[in-house]
Amino acid sequence: MRLGRGALGLALALAATPLEGQGRPEETTVIDSIDVVGANRVPRTTVVALIDIPTGRPISFRDVQRAIQTLYATGQYEDVSVYQGTVNGREVLRFELVERPILAGFSIRGAEQVPVATLRSRLRLYEQQPYDPAAAARARATIDSIYQHRGFPLASVRMRELPQPNGTLRLLFEVDEGSRVAIAQVTVEGNSRFSDEQIVDAMKTGPEGFFWFQKGEYKEEELDRDLRERLPSFYGRRGLADFQVLKDTLIVYPGTGKAALHLTVEEGPVYRVGSFEIVGNRQFSTQLLEQYYPFADSVSGGFLGLGGSRGSPVFDQQKWEEATQNVRTLYYNNGYIYADVRPVVTRRTDPDGTHWVDLRWQIAEGSPAIVNKIIIKGNTITHEDVIRRAIVMVPGDVFRQEALIRSYQNISNLGYFEQPLPPPTYEPANEQGDVNVIFEVRERRTGNINFGASLGQGTGIGGFIGLEENNLFGKGKQIRLQWQFGRYINDFNVSYTDPALWGSLRSGTVSLHNSFLRYQVGNLGRIRTRGITLQLGQPLFGSRYTRLFTSYVLEQNQYDLTENLQPVFGCRNCVLSSLGLSLLRDTRIDLPFASSGVMHQFQVAQGGGPLGGSGNFQRATFEGRWYATLAQFGGSVTSSPLKLVVGLTSKAGAVFGDAGPHFRQLFTMGGTQFGVPLRGYEEFSITPSGFDPGARSSIARGPDAWGKAYFATTTELGLRISQAFYVNVFLDAGNVWASPRQMNPTKLFRGAGIGVNVISPLGPIGLDYAYGFDRTDEAGNPKPGWKFHFKLGNLF
């Protein structure tokens, strides 16, 4: 006797349905054993456990129903049949199972406009698992939806099930993409205040036009944003706060690839600003909060509860929302993270038909949150005190959103962790509303060893070996070693920096160098320098971003013997003894390619004179860098956004007194390697006498290539793709002069071009292709031209 799915025999099935007006009890039967047929993949004992029907005790049809539902829920079976019978005098309940085939795989055919990998990543189909027809149907619908969203409303997807000889199943999705729909026309119904063209201009979805960028491309997600955000914002800025889109219809013309978009809108009335009030504020005065009110300067008789007049401004929804957010930020930055600033807009109409909005900020301040603990997670190498030095909030502080953001930026600037960092979070610490702040980091490799070799005509075999570690022992200490060698090169430099001497806020750097210069100076030959530099730094007046540095340089310069050496310099072994003072303020973020913030550095130094050594001079330099983000694109918790950045850099320097033989303390300009950078020109080509067309990349014609004053500036527009990749277009300008009194920033050499900067395993690499506007030939005639620059080393 076969029992249908959910029946325990005809008699029980009938008995299980009481007659109308009767309350007969549910009939039961006793089963002696359970038999399972068709269970091949799942062990029989497991199936019996899933059925969970007791033997030797009375059961009803509900027990069988529950067992069938449990078996179907496993996803293993496409059919479950139940039979009851007597075998050798024992009541047996037999479950006959038909297993679903295994999904061996699936493929997508015909997809060209959308990458197959993109489609596969969106389909929730699992290979080597039992085939689920419902999941396959959902996958087909997902592919169709993706094409609809990407502007292919004519696309169709056919799904085919392909049984395999081994009993498995493969799925094939055949995509007919059709043609991408181009919107040929947009019409609007219900608009009286603005024309169809004005409304279309406020949308990203528009009809195709004459220019290449007017593609008329249809994307469902962009149209959705147009209808939900852009059009309401367009009308809301003009006082029509009740605007709504009632209906949108896309009419596709088969065979042409064209479509018409028809919108039906309801504009509503124009609202003017009426009264305004603030209620619930105790922490901040009404006078302070009134400064955030966006209509204060233009309201005539409609401010602070007084009735408005016909001269009152048109209500701007966007201004109102931005002002409300600014008030929220004010509260958040002062610890009131639980404050609720609710913007209340009350509409009313005068008897003469004028429509008004009365505005109110209804504030529930709550209590300020106090930082209970600062928790750092994920630092397996970097010591916790290194990270805590970058955090500008401490336990016991009032929780401030501004301090939280700045702490996050400072940790990112350390360069020890993968970017982007997970955003900081906070959690309630107690019933009083205090919070624990959590910073999470992911360590990354900070040190690198690099080496290479080169072979050049006239220079022979050369190479370099470098070692750099910016987080030595996980304590933020830095060590750098660089050795470059070759026929004319033998440079060795090593430096060590401790950012927190003996756990204090003072920093120290010591560096040693012993090298031949990598260029020749006229017929004076090469110069060997060896020396030591010591530098101590400390915060100025306790500031986290402003530091004062004191440095001392002791250096010996030995010039290779030539016939002109003695009369030019007056010594063979010259000693430089220099004491310097430097003031640095740096608030940049997203280093090494800053996206906002400023950097100011002012340096003065005394060389020789009372300090001993050769010469007696004073050297002063200034450098300023300013950055701002114009726009950013994309980005998520796991990826950094692309940032469009504008930057301005200005530099100036002057030397007073007699530098003696230390002409390298003066200034030379051109190229990117040796002096003050000026792209589009050769190294050493900008001299106090003007442009030197005979300058070459590694040779300066003589000491007259250096000047005692310079000025340089750069304006750039860059795209910060990541922490390791940056492209920009730039405009450079600069000049050098023989003395500070001759400085004239209106007479500058100009260059412009495009640059690419990469942080590679070999170190920072810069590639620039620039056009020098003010280059000349040997006769002094204008000869502008392009110049390619390559730099391996510090870019910033």
Side-chain angles (χ1 to χ4, degrees):
M1 172 183 177
R2 172 175 177 171
L3 304 183
R5 303 176 190 177
L8 181 57
L10 184 58
L12 290 181
L14 292 176
T17 307
L19 297 178
E20 186 177 354
Q22 297 180 354
R24 295 179 55 188
E26 198 172 80
E27 294 193 12
T28 62
T29 188
V30 176
I31 299 298
D32 296 315
S33 65
I34 305 294
D35 187 22
V36 177
V37 178
N40 300 315
R41 290 195 295 264
V42 180
R44 180 184 178 281
T45 54
T46 302
V47 176
V48 172
L50 290 171
I51 293 173
D52 193 26
I53 292 180
T55 58
R57 290 189 298 176
I59 65 169
S60 71
F61 83 100
R62 298 186 188 279
D63 298 300
V64 179
Q65 280 185 328
R66 184 169 55 253
I68 293 173
Q69 291 170 355
T70 301
L71 291 174
Y72 275 122
T74 64
Q76 295 284 342
Y77 309 107
E78 67 178 37
D79 187 55
V80 178
S81 299
V82 183
Y83 296 87
Q84 179 189 359
T86 302
V87 179
N88 298 328
R90 296 171 60 84
E91 288 296 322
V92 178
L93 194 62
R94 187 173 73 225
F95 286 79
E96 291 188 359
L97 311 177
V98 179
E99 295 180 328
R100 286 178 173 175
I102 294 295
L103 180 62
F106 65 94
S107 55
I108 302 172
R109 181 185 299 169
E112 295 180 359
Q113 300 298 327
V114 180
V116 172
T118 300
L119 296 175
R120 290 184 66 93
S121 66
R122 298 280 298 276
L123 306 185
R124 295 185 177 182
L125 293 176
Y126 304 102
E127 299 178 355
Q128 305 306 316
Q129 297 292 324
Y131 170 61
D132 184 354
R138 288 194 297 269
R140 190 203 65 78
T142 298
I143 296 176
D144 184 73
S145 176
I146 292 173
Y147 274 95
Q148 296 291 327
H149 278 74
R150 297 209 175 192
F152 293 88
L154 301 178
S156 61
V157 183
R158 178 188 176 194
M159 182 180 70
R160 294 173 57 191
E161 298 177 352
L162 305 176
Q164 303 299 299
N166 60 357
T168 60
L169 183 75
R170 290 191 64 87
L171 282 180
L172 173 63
F173 296 96
E174 295 178 321
V175 180
D176 181 4
E177 295 180 329
S179 58
R180 183 186 291 273
V181 170
I183 297 176
Q185 182 183 21
V186 178
T187 59
V188 186
E189 180 183 350
N191 56 313
S192 59
R193 302 182 183 277
F194 300 100
S195 66
D196 290 11
E197 290 75 15
Q198 290 174 303
I199 294 174
V200 171
D201 287 343
M203 302 167 56
K204 192 169 184 179
T205 303
E208 58 185 353
F210 174 77
F211 296 102
W212 76 94
F213 54 84
Q214 296 175 311
K215 299 178 181 179
E217 191 174 32
Y218 168 73
K219 291 185 178 180
E220 188 172 327
E221 64 271 20
E222 288 298 341
L223 177 60
D224 185 58
R225 287 194 62 191
D226 286 334
L227 305 184
R228 289 188 302 105
E229 300 176 15
R230 297 187 181 103
L231 285 182
S233 175
F234 171 78
Y235 273 90
R237 291 196 302 270
R238 292 157 177 82
L240 292 101
D242 293 339
F243 169 84
Q244 57 181 324
V245 179
L246 301 178
K247 184 179 180 182
D248 64 283
T249 305
L250 182 70
I251 304 173
V252 180
Y253 303 106
T256 65
K258 306 297 182 181
L261 177 63
H262 182 74
L263 303 178
T264 302
V265 304
E266 183 180 316
E267 293 181 324
V270 175
Y271 287 95
R272 294 187 174 276
V273 177
S275 64
F276 170 65
E277 63 177 340
I278 305 171
V279 296
N281 57 306
R282 296 187 304 274
Q283 174 64 24
F284 300 107
S285 67
T286 299
Q287 289 74 20
L288 174 62
L289 297 180
E290 284 172 3
Q291 298 177 18
Y292 291 88
Y293 182 65
F295 310 112
D297 295 336
S298 52
V299 172
S300 175
F303 188 61
L304 297 181
L306 301 179
S309 71
R310 295 187 183 275
S312 297
V314 170
F315 175 62
D316 187 329
Q317 181 73 34
Q318 183 173 335
K319 281 185 177 180
W320 174 243
E321 292 173 355
E322 290 175 352
T324 302
Q325 185 56 45
N326 290 336
V327 174
R328 291 192 184 110
T329 301
L330 173 67
Y331 273 94
Y332 296 164
N333 283 339
N334 286 273
Y336 289 83
I337 62 176
Y338 305 112
D340 180 19
V341 181
R342 184 176 304 173
V344 179
V345 179
T346 304
R347 294 165 171 80
R348 59 181 172 88
T349 305
D350 279 355
D352 62 359
T354 304
H355 296 273
W356 301 93
V357 288
D358 295 329
L359 306 177
R360 181 170 73 252
W361 279 329
Q362 190 167 311
I363 303 174
E365 294 179 335
S367 300
I370 304 299
V371 178
N372 181 59
K373 292 181 181 179
I374 296 177
I375 302 171
I376 301 172
K377 297 181 178 180
N379 55 315
T380 57
I381 298 174
T382 306
H383 287 221
E384 191 166 293
D385 62 317
V386 175
I387 303 174
R388 290 191 179 276
R389 285 199 298 268
I391 298 174
V392 299
M393 53 198 327
V394 296
D397 274 352
V398 171
F399 178 88
R400 294 177 293 114
Q401 188 181 46
E402 184 180 17
L404 181 71
I405 295 173
R406 187 69 221 196
S407 299
Y408 174 79
Q409 294 169 344
N410 288 349
I411 296 174
S412 297
N413 280 352
L414 291 175
Y416 306 153
F417 311 109
E418 292 183 6
Q419 300 294 323
L421 291 177
T425 59
Y426 56 88
E427 60 186 16
N430 51 45
E431 296 180 354
Q432 287 72 40
D434 298 341
V435 295
N436 295 328
V437 181
I438 304 171
F439 294 94
E440 187 172 352
V441 298
R442 294 188 295 265
E443 300 276 7
R444 72 176 182 88
R445 182 178 62 85
T446 57
N448 61 76
I449 299 177
N450 51 74
F451 55 88
S454 63
L455 178 63
Q457 183 177 0
T459 62
I461 298 176
F464 66 91
I465 298 175
L467 168 66
E468 182 175 353
E469 174 56 68
N470 293 327
N471 191 17
L472 189 63
F473 309 126
K475 296 184 177 181
K477 305 178 190 301
Q478 302 171 8
I479 184 169
R480 291 184 174 89
L481 183 149
Q482 186 78 25
W483 179 32
Q484 301 185 56
F485 53 88
R487 181 178 178 183
Y488 298 115
I489 301 173
N490 195 341
D491 292 353
F492 179 81
N493 297 274
V494 61
S495 67
Y496 172 78
T497 299
D498 188 337
L501 289 173
W502 301 291
S504 70
L505 296 178
R506 296 182 177 85
S507 63
T509 299
V510 57
S511 61
L512 302 171
H513 60 275
N514 183 0
S515 63
F516 279 111
L517 288 184
R518 288 172 290 190
Y519 54 83
Q520 294 178 253
V521 184
N523 59 355
L524 303 179
R526 299 186 305 278
I527 306 173
R528 174 186 289 276
T529 64
R530 64 188 70 180
I532 182 172
T533 300
L534 301 174
Q535 179 178 272
L536 294 175
Q538 65 179 28
L540 185 65
F541 304 127
S543 171
R544 185 175 290 271
Y545 307 109
T546 306
R547 297 184 71 84
L548 183 67
F549 295 92
T550 304
S551 62
Y552 178 72
V553 178
L554 183 62
E555 182 180 272
Q556 182 190 43
N557 298 297
Q558 180 178 352
Y559 298 89
D560 284 358
L561 183 63
T562 67
E563 63 276 10
N564 294 330
L565 178 62
Q566 189 69 25
V568 173
F569 292 110
C571 64
R572 295 179 181 271
N573 292 296
C574 306
V575 174
L576 172 65
S577 178
S578 175
L579 182 64
L581 198 64
S582 174
L583 183 64
L584 172 67
R585 178 168 177 79
D586 193 349
T587 64
R588 295 174 294 171
I589 64 171
D590 285 339
L591 296 176
F593 305 118
S595 63
S596 65
V598 300
M599 189 279 286
H600 297 148
Q601 185 173 28
F602 181 70
Q603 296 176 302
V604 293
Q606 167 67 46
L611 300 176
S614 306
N616 185 4
F617 63 95
Q618 299 79 43
R619 190 175 193 268
T621 61
F622 170 79
E623 179 177 358
R625 296 175 181 262
W626 301 267
Y627 299 93
T629 298
L630 299 180
Q632 66 180 40
F633 315 95
S636 65
V637 174
T638 58
S639 62
S640 297
L642 278 68
K643 293 186 178 182
L644 186 64
V645 178
V646 62
L648 174 64
T649 300
S650 292
K651 304 177 182 179
V655 172
F656 304 91
D658 179 18
H662 307 299
F663 64 91
R664 289 185 303 112
Q665 295 295 314
L666 308 181
F667 309 106
T668 183
M669 183 174 292
T672 61
Q673 289 283 0
F674 302 116
V676 180
L678 186 64
R679 290 163 288 191
Y681 298 85
E682 295 282 359
E683 309 287 339
F684 309 108
S685 62
I686 308 301
T687 73
S689 302
F691 175 71
D692 181 2
R696 288 185 288 166
S697 60
S698 61
I699 298 178
R701 291 194 171 185
D704 56 358
W706 277 260
K708 284 191 172 184
Y710 87 95
F711 174 79
T713 185
T714 296
T715 302
E716 64 180 289
L717 181 66
L719 182 63
R720 186 186 186 276
I721 298 175
S722 70
Q723 194 184 31
F725 194 69
Y726 178 76
V727 296
N728 66 339
V729 292
F730 57 82
L731 176 64
D732 286 353
N735 202 354
V736 294
W737 293 273
S739 67
R741 66 178 56 187
Q742 294 177 354
M743 289 184 67
N744 185 356
T746 64
K747 294 183 178 180
L748 304 176
F749 292 89
R750 300 161 300 160
I754 184 170
V756 177
N757 296 324
V758 179
I759 305 299
S760 74
L762 299 179
I765 294 177
L767 304 174
D768 298 290
Y769 192 56
Y771 186 81
F773 293 95
D774 302 306
R775 297 162 62 108
T776 61
D777 58 18
E778 295 286 351
N781 299 313
K783 190 181 178 181
W786 290 93
K787 174 66 178 175
F788 178 77
H789 301 280
F790 171 82
K791 183 174 182 180
L792 177 63
N794 193 17
L795 302 174
F796 359 92

